[in-house]
């Protein structure tokens, strides 16, 4: 009636004003019903047939998302193995010469680097130094260039890594996820942040994800067969948290206060026992730097099977 406004929701309707529309498939019926329901969300019947209940989401109940978990290794044994490897790897990677990484890679290893695609001029991008080596297959369509940017053999891999900007990684930021573990293969991803120590850019803090596929090596170590490195600019939050916690002194490094004779004894004991520097030093310390006594104790414990395999992990 004139002068009255009816605000009750429409719950049923007959649309008979479209004689020229001919629906020949169920999909067209569904499209029509959906279009009408967008205008009348409370509609329950249309042209004499019942409509399915509307899909809705109950957002009134507060939902707490699960908290982000820390690193995942699967077992304590794998945790010790991977943690030691990562510590040793980045100790060398952050040094002035990365040639020491040769021992970490398989003879036929392969490696690639990717950065996010930027529509801006790559030369002016803060990641410009990495652009020429980026193998982002989402944007890189040329198969020849794809093959060229995949580095093969450990010599080429380490030469490539050695040419990348010098870095300092924030070990405290690392999150490690072991995704695959078999008797002959280990796949794990390292996430974290680093900064370029020789960069003139004010935005030198980067974030990275790195997927390593490794196989067992001598002395219970690991040998990398595939290395995929992804680098991007760190977020504001990542930059805020970066390098807040002082980096721990690698436990595999000799104590700086060792005398020259102790350094020589340590190297000799490590070479003869086959143990790494850390465990060799521990053995000598426990025996008051008495070489013969330490060697006797080592032989006894090794014969009893009481020395863990991690003591023989090869140093990079």
């Amino acid at each position: 009636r004139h002068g009255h406004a009816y605000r009750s929701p429409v719950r049923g309707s007959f649309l008979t004003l479209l004689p020229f529309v001919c629906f020949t498939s169920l999909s067209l019926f569904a499209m029509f019903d959906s279009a009408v329901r967008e205008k009348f969300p409370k509609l329950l019947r249309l042209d004499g047939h019942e409509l399915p209940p509307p899909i809705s989401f109950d957002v009134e109940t507060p939902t707490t998302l699960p908290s982000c978990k820390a690193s995942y290794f699967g077992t304590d044994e794998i945790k010790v193995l991977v943690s030691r490897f990562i510590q040793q790897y980045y100790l060398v990677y952050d040094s002035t010469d990365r040639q020491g990484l040769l021992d970490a890679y398989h003879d036929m290893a392969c490696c690639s680097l990717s950065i996010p695609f930027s529509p801006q001029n790559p030369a002016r991008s803060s990641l410009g130094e990495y652009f020429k080596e980026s193998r982002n297959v989402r944007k890189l369509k040329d198969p020849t260039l794809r093959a060229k940017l995949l580095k093969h053999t450990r010599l080429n891999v380490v030469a490539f890594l050695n040419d990348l900007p010098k870095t300092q990684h924030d070990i405290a930021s690392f999150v490690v996820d072991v995704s695959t573990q078999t008797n002959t293969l280990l796949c794990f991803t390292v996430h974290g942040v680093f900064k370029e120590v020789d960069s003139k850019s004010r935005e030198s803090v980067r974030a990275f994800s790195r997927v390593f596929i490794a196989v067992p090596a001598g002395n219970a170590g690991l040998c990398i067969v595939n290395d995929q490195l992804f680098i991007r600019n760190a977020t504001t939050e990542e930059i805020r948290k970066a390098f807040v916690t002082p980096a721990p002194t690698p436990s595999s490094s000799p104590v700086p206060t060792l005398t020259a004779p102790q350094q020589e004894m340590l190297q000799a004991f490590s070479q003869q026992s086959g143990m790494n520097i850390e465990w060799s030093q521990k053995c000598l310390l426990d025996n008051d730097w008495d070489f013969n006594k330490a060697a006797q104790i080592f032989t006894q414990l090794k014969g009893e099977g009481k020395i863990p395999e991690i003591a023989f992990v090869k140093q990079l």
Side-chain angles (χ1 to χ4, degrees):
R1 296 181 182 181
H2 297 290
H4 292 272
Y6 295 93
R7 300 188 180 183
S8 299
V10 177
R11 299 186 181 277
S13 178
F14 284 91
L15 299 181
T16 58
L17 301 178
L18 302 174
F20 51 85
V21 177
C22 177
F23 297 111
T24 59
S25 68
L26 291 177
S27 61
L28 290 178
F29 274 113
M31 292 172 59
F32 178 68
D33 291 351
S34 177
V36 174
R37 203 164 214 175
E38 283 187 12
K39 301 296 183 181
F40 306 102
K42 300 290 186 179
L43 195 65
L44 300 178
R45 294 177 61 86
L46 179 61
D47 290 339
H49 68 273
E50 298 284 343
L51 295 177
I55 299 174
S56 61
F57 298 93
D58 184 4
V59 295
E60 296 181 0
T61 304
T63 302
T64 303
L65 295 175
S67 58
C68 181
K69 293 186 178 181
S71 300
Y72 176 78
F73 295 93
T75 67
D76 289 339
E77 182 181 3
I78 295 298
K79 179 179 180 180
V80 171
L81 178 64
V82 173
S83 297
R84 178 62 55 84
F85 177 84
I86 290 173
Q87 184 186 69
Q88 295 172 357
Y89 183 92
Y90 282 100
L91 180 65
V92 178
Y93 191 92
D94 286 345
S95 68
T96 55
D97 184 6
R98 294 176 179 149
Q99 290 296 320
L101 293 174
L102 282 169
D103 289 337
Y105 286 90
H106 190 274
D107 287 339
M108 300 306 296
C110 62
C111 175
S112 65
L113 165 71
S114 294
I115 64 171
F117 176 78
S118 174
Q120 303 172 351
N121 185 350
R124 298 180 180 178
S125 168
S126 60
L127 291 171
E129 292 182 78
Y130 303 98
F131 183 83
K132 64 179 181 179
E133 299 291 348
S134 177
R135 191 175 180 268
N136 188 334
V137 295
R138 187 175 181 182
K139 298 297 180 181
L140 190 63
K141 305 303 181 183
D142 184 353
T144 303
L145 191 54
R146 282 187 179 186
K148 181 181 178 181
L149 291 174
L150 186 61
K151 313 302 178 184
H152 289 279
T153 76
R154 67 171 185 159
L155 292 176
N156 289 330
V157 168
V158 174
F160 161 67
L161 296 176
N162 211 33
D163 286 339
L164 294 179
K166 302 306 177 186
T167 57
Q168 178 186 350
H169 285 74
D170 182 8
I171 303 296
S173 73
F174 283 13
V175 175
V176 183
D177 292 307
V178 176
S179 57
T180 304
Q181 172 198 347
T182 69
N183 292 331
T184 58
L185 182 142
L186 194 63
C187 179
F188 56 95
T189 305
V190 184
H191 311 270
V193 298
F194 68 91
K195 61 183 177 182
E196 297 167 6
V197 295
D198 57 354
S199 173
K200 298 179 181 179
S201 171
R202 291 176 298 176
E203 300 176 346
S204 61
V205 178
R206 316 291 190 196
F208 77 96
S209 291
R210 198 163 189 171
V211 182
F212 291 108
I213 300 178
V215 295
N219 295 328
L222 292 175
C223 185
I224 302 168
V225 295
N226 192 291
D227 178 3
Q228 300 177 54
L229 175 59
F230 179 84
I231 297 177
R232 60 175 172 82
N233 285 320
T235 65
T236 303
E237 183 68 8
E238 288 171 330
I239 294 174
R240 185 182 68 82
K241 293 182 177 180
F243 299 95
V244 173
T245 304
T249 302
S251 57
S252 57
S253 300
V255 177
T257 55
L258 293 183
T259 64
Q262 287 176 330
Q263 288 277 12
E264 292 179 6
M265 185 185 299
L266 177 59
Q267 293 295 332
F269 192 88
S270 176
Q271 183 178 4
Q272 293 182 29
S273 67
M275 292 196 299
N276 57 43
I277 292 296
E278 179 186 7
W279 282 79
S280 295
Q281 179 175 304
K282 183 179 185 301
C283 187
L284 288 169
L285 282 171
D286 290 346
N287 292 280
D288 299 321
W289 290 94
D290 186 325
F291 191 97
N292 293 331
K293 182 181 178 181
Q296 183 180 359
I297 296 297
F298 164 77
T299 302
Q300 177 184 340
L301 293 177
K302 185 179 181 183
E304 296 173 355
K306 293 183 179 180
I307 299 181
E309 292 184 354
I310 196 65
F312 300 95
V313 171
K314 187 176 182 181
Q315 304 293 301
L316 297 181

